[in-house]
Amino acid sequence: MTSPAVTDLIARSNRLGADPKNTNYAGGNTSAKGTETDPVTGEPVELLWVKGSGGDLGTLKESGLAVLRLDRMRALVDVYPGVEREDEMVAAFDYCLHGKGGAAPSIDTAMHGLVDAAHVDHLHPDSGIAIATAADGEELTRKIFGDKVVWVPWRRPGFQLGLDIAAIKERNPQAIGTILGGHGITAWGDTSEESERNSLWIIETAAAYIAEHGKAEPFGGVRPGYEALPEAERRAKAAALAATIRGLASHDKPMVGHFTDADVVLDFLASERAPELAALGTSCPDHFLRTKVKPMILDLPATASVEESIARLTELHTQYRADYTAYYEAHATPESPAMRGADPLIVLVPGVGMFSYGANKQTARVAGEFYINAINVMRGAEALSTYTPISDAEKFRIEYWALEEAKLQRMPKPKTHQGRIAFVTGAASGIGKAIATRLANEGACVVVADLDLAKAQAAAAELGGTDVAIGVAANVADADGVQAAIDATLLAFGGIDLVVNNAGLSLSKPLLETTEADWDLQHDVMAKGSFLVSKAAATPLIQQGMGGDIVYISSKNSVFAGPNNIAYSATKADQAHQVRLLAVELGENGVRVNGINPDGVVRGSGIFASGWGANRAATYGVKEEELGQFYANRTILKREVVPENVADAVYVLTGPELSRTTGLHIPVDSGVAQAFLR
């Protein structure tokens, strides 16, 4: 039975975490203390329930809590070796755990356990951090909150900070919380309701004070020429820049991107003080762990051409890497973890917006959200005072903290396609849907492209949220429509790595019954469509400089002369030769081009369901419902081919095992001797 204290804690956490004005994604932590019966002794035992390492308040569940015996946790004070060795206390928390399961205790556990209050909240609200990063934050804290909130000078999170806050509460019985210099807020209460009320009071009081007393233009006036471009123009420019910027951000390791042109970003980039403030970097540890210590900002006006912008971004990237390397070398010790990479995670383009990056889409999106938090913090601090983040030395101590490194090392090994962005045509059903599903399951971000937008979006929704897949409309026979779909891919995920030309249709007719319209339709969708998609995707693939894959779903009919099939087989032969031609042409850019030749994929096939199955069944003199088995019986393996078999072949072709293979066609037909490749 769940303790009432836990039920209240989860509800409070979810409410606080659901509102971005209170805290950011996975930021902050909450706790509750209560008494339970020890199952061993039958005696009452005081417990601490606290959000575990890496969890998110907005979606917190009971399994995300660490549960500790309060007496043992507080007894650690007696063996605390001092601030120079405080990291050792994190391992000691494991010896205070109650029962099994639950989350690993976080570095902030001491703050919650040592503070003498039944309920404690530690949050990262923009308004609170604005006060925490103001040059005169201590004075502002007294002015805004009186003696109800106490200033705590910057200290890296850990056991000593927990001791400091516990001592402050003991000395200030009237206080309801603290402002943590450079960091955030902590509040407490005797009940869950009181703790939440106190947290919100601090957040709202700080926000109201900034709104009432802050300067109207804390970022200065507008820089002429740096204003936001009209929406259509800025999104077109963003799409044109996206692949190049992703390639720069992926110099050390592949990254997925996220783009936003939110007003808060555009207004900041148009301001006079944006370059100066951006150079100061972020302050809250949760912020710069996601965004790096500072962003890369393009120093050209919005009117600069794409070509000028790319040239300058490339120069700035070289300087950014040199500056970050210098930052690392200036603060690293022999015990420091190796440098994790010198590329920016936030790239700001005036008039256009912000590109943010991470190992996956969620991480990239959250990094952008955190930088918006940082903009809000800078605005609040500058409105009242001077924005003064913690020093680079302190940032380094957090970024390359042994405990942070240990957390990274505990992360699960990435799946084979994590960090890859796949564009699959005809993916709302049949073979295309199976391919999209397999690639998403292997960690890829997937764009489900289909003639029917509603079906594409529905298929994408089945794969997960928009951090996993999106659906786009794509008439592959229309060059403008194809380009729009590729642009949507670049804006959604930052780039493109893997293209699957799967869209197709077929009309089963003998030569004399095949009309010119029949011929044109099939060639437009498959031969021309594959060409248009490959051409539109090739530009960003080359711009990224990260290699990539193009896969054609061709057919056994590309090499086998089946009956009554002139238009379909001819266009499939066209696709098959496109594979060879593009493998040669794009190989110097690291782009591999391969094909798959399926046969007899009846179950789940959109083509077969649209009349092709009935025509082929009539051609072979069998019932339509027996067509799949008919195809299987004529193969060497006597096994029916299903869409998932084709998806498996795409997975293998685009995975790490065949990294030196290009220009290949793989039969997925259970063995048709007449279609053996020669």
Side-chain angles (χ1 to χ4, degrees):
M1 180 178 175
T2 301
S3 164
V6 172
T7 301
D8 289 345
L9 173 61
I10 296 296
R12 175 173 105 238
S13 302
N14 293 164
R15 286 192 298 271
L16 289 171
D19 191 337
K21 77 174 175 58
N22 299 331
T23 201
N24 33 44
Y25 177 82
N29 29 72
T30 52
S31 68
K33 303 178 183 74
T35 302
E36 293 276 278
T37 300
D38 189 318
V40 176
T41 66
E43 299 295 321
V45 58
E46 282 192 280
L47 299 178
L48 168 70
W49 294 273
V50 58
K51 192 203 84 170
S53 178
D56 170 54
L57 289 177
T59 55
L60 184 66
K61 296 179 173 59
E62 187 173 356
S63 59
L65 297 173
V67 188
L68 299 89
R69 283 190 50 147
L70 195 57
D71 58 344
R72 292 181 65 82
M73 195 259 128
R74 287 180 169 170
L76 293 176
V77 173
D78 299 329
V79 296
Y80 175 50
V83 69
E84 296 303 319
R85 293 171 52 196
E86 68 171 339
D87 290 0
E88 298 172 20
M89 305 308 289
V90 174
F93 291 150
D94 290 344
Y95 295 93
C96 306
L97 295 174
H98 178 76
K100 64 179 184 178
S106 77
I107 189 66
D108 287 316
T109 298
M111 178 192 303
H112 293 271
L114 298 178
V115 170
D116 186 18
H119 301 267
V120 178
D121 299 329
H122 168 58
L123 304 170
H124 301 145
D126 294 347
S127 63
I129 306 174
I131 308 304
T133 56
D136 52 350
E138 184 172 4
E139 180 183 342
L140 283 170
T141 299
R142 285 194 298 268
K143 185 182 296 185
I144 297 169
F145 305 107
D147 63 357
K148 290 183 67 174
V149 178
V150 180
W151 173 264
V152 181
W154 161 259
R155 184 184 290 280
R156 190 174 67 166
F159 202 85
Q160 187 61 53
L161 182 59
L163 287 170
D164 292 349
I165 298 176
I168 284 172
K169 183 182 185 305
E170 186 177 359
R171 291 195 303 266
N172 298 272
Q174 79 290 345
I176 65 168
T178 63
I179 296 290
L180 308 181
H183 186 165
I185 74 166
T186 297
W188 48 77
D190 293 332
T191 66
S192 185
E193 293 78 10
E194 184 181 23
S195 185
E196 182 176 2
R197 187 166 61 249
N198 289 342
S199 293
L200 294 176
W201 183 83
I202 295 173
I203 294 166
E204 291 162 1
T205 300
Y209 188 90
I210 294 169
E212 183 178 354
H213 299 280
K215 289 182 290 193
E217 293 186 342
F219 294 153
V222 173
R223 289 185 289 169
Y226 286 77
E227 303 95 331
L229 295 170
E231 182 178 5
E233 187 178 342
R234 71 173 178 262
R235 295 186 75 82
K237 189 172 181 180
L241 294 174
T244 295
I245 298 177
R246 183 193 180 211
L248 297 176
S250 302
H251 184 276
D252 291 315
K253 57 184 176 182
M255 291 286 182
V256 175
H258 175 74
F259 172 74
T260 180
D261 55 356
D263 289 345
V264 62
V265 174
L266 294 170
D267 291 347
F268 174 67
L269 294 177
S271 70
E272 293 174 336
R273 301 192 59 209
E276 165 200 349
L277 291 168
L280 294 175
T282 52
S283 184
C284 176
D286 266 30
H287 291 184
F288 61 75
L289 283 172
R290 303 274 189 159
T291 66
K292 265 198 166 71
V293 289
K294 61 188 67 175
M296 187 173 94
I297 181 168
L298 179 61
D299 53 1
L300 294 178
T303 52
S305 69
V306 169
E307 293 74 21
E308 290 171 326
S309 299
I310 286 175
R312 183 58 179 151
L313 284 163
T314 303
E315 293 173 352
L316 290 169
H317 178 249
T318 300
Q319 185 60 51
Y320 187 98
R321 288 181 59 83
D323 290 346
Y324 186 85
T325 302
Y327 154 80
Y328 177 86
E329 292 175 348
H331 302 293
T333 68
E335 294 76 33
S336 296
M339 189 168 69
R340 300 191 193 102
D343 297 321
L345 296 179
I346 303 291
V347 179
L348 304 170
V349 181
V352 176
M354 172 173 61
F355 299 84
S356 54
Y357 297 92
N360 52 50
K361 171 64 176 185
Q362 183 195 58
T363 305
R365 173 178 55 79
V366 169
E369 292 172 1
F370 272 63
Y371 198 75
I372 289 176
N373 291 133
I375 292 173
N376 293 333
V377 166
M378 288 186 278
R379 180 187 295 107
E382 285 291 325
L384 298 177
S385 176
T386 301
Y387 174 62
T388 311
I390 63 174
S391 68
D392 280 0
E394 286 299 311
K395 290 176 185 176
F396 185 88
R397 290 184 69 221
I398 296 283
E399 188 178 1
Y400 285 93
W401 200 354
L403 295 176
E404 185 65 29
E405 181 69 13
K407 184 191 295 187
L408 293 173
Q409 295 302 323
R410 289 196 301 269
M411 294 180 69
K413 183 180 178 182
K415 294 182 178 180
T416 56
H417 286 60
Q418 180 174 309
R420 306 204 75 197
I421 300 157
F423 181 88
V424 185
T425 66
S429 62
I431 291 173
K433 187 175 183 180
I435 293 168
T437 300
R438 179 64 191 271
L439 293 176
N441 289 342
E442 298 300 334
C445 299
V446 178
V447 176
V448 175
D450 201 271
L451 190 61
D452 189 317
L453 176 59
K455 289 181 179 178
Q457 291 174 332
E462 291 179 28
L463 301 181
T466 53
D467 286 341
V468 176
I470 64 166
V472 300
N475 177 0
V476 296
D478 175 64
D480 291 340
V482 168
Q483 188 61 56
I486 295 295
D487 286 350
T489 302
L490 298 174
L491 292 178
F493 297 116
I496 190 168
D497 300 299
L498 198 167
V499 176
V500 182
N501 280 311
N502 168 74
L505 78 161
S506 184
L507 303 171
S508 175
K509 294 182 179 181
L511 172 64
L512 297 181
E513 294 178 18
T514 300
T515 67
E516 184 178 352
D518 295 334
W519 178 273
D520 287 345
L521 175 62
Q522 293 180 87
H523 278 71
D524 280 351
V525 172
M526 290 176 285
K528 177 184 173 184
S530 295
F531 155 72
L532 290 176
V533 170
S534 296
K535 181 181 179 182
T539 296
L541 282 168
I542 293 168
Q543 288 175 333
Q544 286 173 167
M546 299 167 63
D549 287 279
I550 299 177
V551 178
Y552 281 66
I553 307 303
S554 184
S555 170
K556 168 217 62 173
N557 290 292
S558 65
V559 293
F560 171 67
N564 300 338
N565 211 9
I566 177 65
Y568 180 79
S569 295
T571 196
K572 284 299 179 181
D574 186 317
Q575 283 186 305
H577 200 47
Q578 284 185 39
V579 168
R580 304 180 186 98
L581 295 167
L582 295 186
V584 172
E585 184 171 342
L586 298 177
E588 65 180 2
N589 301 110
V591 177
R592 302 180 303 139
V593 187
N594 293 292
I596 295 171
N597 290 345
D599 182 48
V601 184
V602 178
R603 277 193 284 156
S605 167
I607 288 179
F608 276 88
S610 62
W612 169 259
N615 287 333
R616 300 316 289 167
T619 296
Y620 293 118
V622 300
K623 295 179 180 178
E624 185 176 357
E625 61 269 23
E626 298 172 354
L627 187 59
Q629 191 57 51
F630 169 80
Y631 282 132
N633 289 340
R634 72 182 187 181
T635 68
I636 296 168
L637 298 178
K638 303 294 189 290
R639 300 182 67 184
E640 186 175 356
V641 179
V642 295
E644 288 72 20
N645 300 138
V646 183
D648 292 342
V650 173
Y651 161 71
V652 173
L653 269 177
T654 59
E657 287 82 5
L658 296 182
S659 64
R660 302 298 186 270
T661 299
T662 193
L664 173 70
H665 281 86
I666 295 182
V668 182
D669 57 10
S670 283
V672 177
Q674 300 96 317
F676 282 176
L677 298 173
R678 296 176 177 87

